[in-house]
Amino acid sequence: MTPIPRHSQIHFYKDGDIELLVEKIIFRVHKNILTLSSQFFSGMYQSATPSVEDLTAISNTGISIPRVELRGDAAPDVEKLLSFLYPNTYFEISWGDVANLLRLADKYIVETLTTACVAFLKRSYQEEPLQALKLAEAYQISSVYKESSKLVLDDFEKFFYEPRNLEGLSRSTQKKLKVQRQQYVEGLNKLYCVTVDRRFPPLTAEHLRTKFEECVKDICTFPFHSPSYSWMKLHQVDCSKHFECREELRRLKPFIHEKIVSFFGGEYELLAWTTKAPNYDAATELSYPFIELRDD
């Protein structure tokens, strides 16, 4: 026996003038809300006409309301979409919803929902960087792709330990991440080799040379530290309390920056959007390697 469709408990408005059927749930809504929100719904309403069964079911009211079945969607997801669109209901995007909402926003061309989902990812990508990277690639969100890649690269072993973690990432993105990680490891090896040979950096102050070599030994000993930690340690080498080191340290820092960039094979950046945080301090913020959303 075929289940009888039932009304949505949230979005079934008596004065609605179009019905959406999703998994045996009927949403009676308003065409003006849909057409103002979505190009897809606008075109859909213009072509929607009531079937004979629908007309029979509502003949006692004397009103014919077109009904359209939305296939391939889950009723709870459509309910959340409508809760986003309607001003009388409140819905807050979460990690449990953002993937489905981005899919619906893309499918039905709801630009305001896409914008809200992107804003959520920008606020929250640090909580789930791998998930954010997958969604950013799937929906071509270049800013989130770049920022989430920084955190994935910074904790590479954690994310790449389980092959199933990579499901949903294209081979292209996986390759970019692995290449960037390999460049980092090779950079550490180069740094270690030239340091133990005492050809880099050309320091005359024994205390400063010892300080620098301790730093290099720390970051180049397996298991390797994260790229952001290594970058911070190298750029914070300091012994300015020693008078004989001050001038040499002033000349050393730009030299370190130039060499490390050449060794690691790319630029490092702060995380975007952190400068707006209330406790932001540029001097203590970490810098990260990254990949970008583009065709290589």
Side-chain angles (χ1 to χ4, degrees):
M1 183 176 178
T2 304
I4 299 174
R6 55 188 177 87
H7 297 169
S8 167
Q9 296 182 351
I10 299 177
H11 297 292
F12 191 87
Y13 303 98
K14 292 181 179 179
D15 60 344
D17 49 11
I18 187 170
E19 292 183 348
L20 307 178
L21 176 63
V22 189
E23 294 185 325
K24 302 303 178 182
I25 301 295
I26 299 173
F27 300 92
R28 182 177 290 181
V29 291
H30 303 87
K31 68 175 183 178
N32 60 333
I33 296 289
L34 299 185
T35 55
L36 288 172
S37 305
S38 161
Q39 296 178 36
F40 179 93
F41 283 140
S42 177
M44 179 188 70
Y45 178 77
Q46 293 174 11
S47 62
T49 55
S51 66
V52 174
E53 294 177 355
D54 294 334
L55 288 173
T56 302
I58 59 179
S59 60
N60 61 332
T61 66
I63 304 173
S64 61
I65 301 177
R67 178 182 295 177
V68 177
E69 182 177 4
L70 303 183
R71 299 180 180 179
D73 298 322
D77 294 335
V78 173
E79 181 177 273
K80 291 169 186 175
L81 169 62
L82 293 171
S83 292
F84 176 83
L85 298 180
Y86 268 79
N88 64 306
T89 51
Y90 175 76
F91 173 70
E92 186 172 353
I93 298 172
S94 69
W95 282 110
D97 303 312
V98 66
N100 287 330
L101 290 175
L102 271 171
R103 184 185 66 80
L104 289 177
D106 183 65
K107 179 178 180 180
Y108 297 120
I109 320 176
V110 185
E111 294 181 0
T112 54
L113 181 56
T114 298
T115 299
C117 288
V118 171
F120 168 80
L121 292 175
K122 286 184 176 182
R123 291 194 308 271
S124 310
Y125 73 98
Q126 297 183 52
E127 299 170 5
E128 298 285 347
L130 186 59
Q131 178 68 0
L133 184 64
K134 293 176 181 180
L135 292 174
E137 180 181 38
Y139 296 99
Q140 298 292 297
I141 312 169
S142 58
S143 58
V144 175
Y145 183 94
K146 179 179 179 180
E147 297 310 309
S148 56
S149 76
K150 294 177 180 179
L151 297 178
V152 172
L153 282 166
D154 213 45
D155 208 353
F156 186 86
E157 283 76 12
K158 170 188 172 182
F159 294 116
F160 275 69
Y161 182 76
E162 287 287 344
R164 61 184 177 182
N165 287 343
L166 306 181
E167 294 176 1
L169 276 183
S170 70
R171 291 185 178 181
S172 173
T173 290
Q174 292 183 42
K175 181 180 178 181
K176 289 177 185 178
L177 291 169
K178 291 176 181 177
V179 167
Q180 185 64 271
R181 173 65 181 182
Q182 186 60 32
Q183 286 180 338
Y184 167 65
V185 173
E186 290 176 357
L188 292 179
N189 291 332
K190 292 176 185 177
L191 179 64
Y192 183 77
C193 289
V194 296
T195 302
V196 295
D197 289 343
R198 293 189 175 235
R199 291 194 298 267
F200 169 75
L203 301 172
T204 56
E206 183 66 27
H207 186 83
L208 182 54
R209 182 167 60 247
T210 300
K211 193 92 170 177
F212 184 79
E213 290 180 351
E214 287 175 353
C215 170
V216 171
K217 184 177 180 180
D218 176 31
I219 66 175
C220 293
T221 302
F222 189 83
F224 300 130
H225 288 288
S226 66
S228 65
Y229 175 86
S230 299
W231 188 266
M232 176 192 69
K233 291 289 286 186
L234 287 167
H235 285 76
Q236 290 185 354
V237 172
D238 191 9
C239 57
S240 55
K241 294 180 181 179
H242 294 257
F243 181 79
E244 70 276 13
C245 297
R246 290 178 184 175
E247 181 60 25
E248 195 165 18
L249 183 64
R250 185 183 65 81
R251 292 185 285 105
L252 173 65
K253 290 200 171 184
F255 182 77
I256 289 177
H257 181 81
E258 177 187 348
K259 290 297 182 182
I260 300 311
V261 167
S262 65
F263 283 166
F264 291 166
E267 291 289 346
Y268 279 42
E269 289 184 354
L270 303 176
L271 290 176
W273 312 302
T274 55
T275 55
K276 297 181 180 180
N279 298 323
Y280 172 74
D281 181 0
T284 59
E285 287 296 326
L286 299 177
S287 293
Y288 304 82
F290 57 86
I291 60 175
E292 297 188 80
L293 185 58
R294 62 174 186 268
D295 294 327
D296 292 332

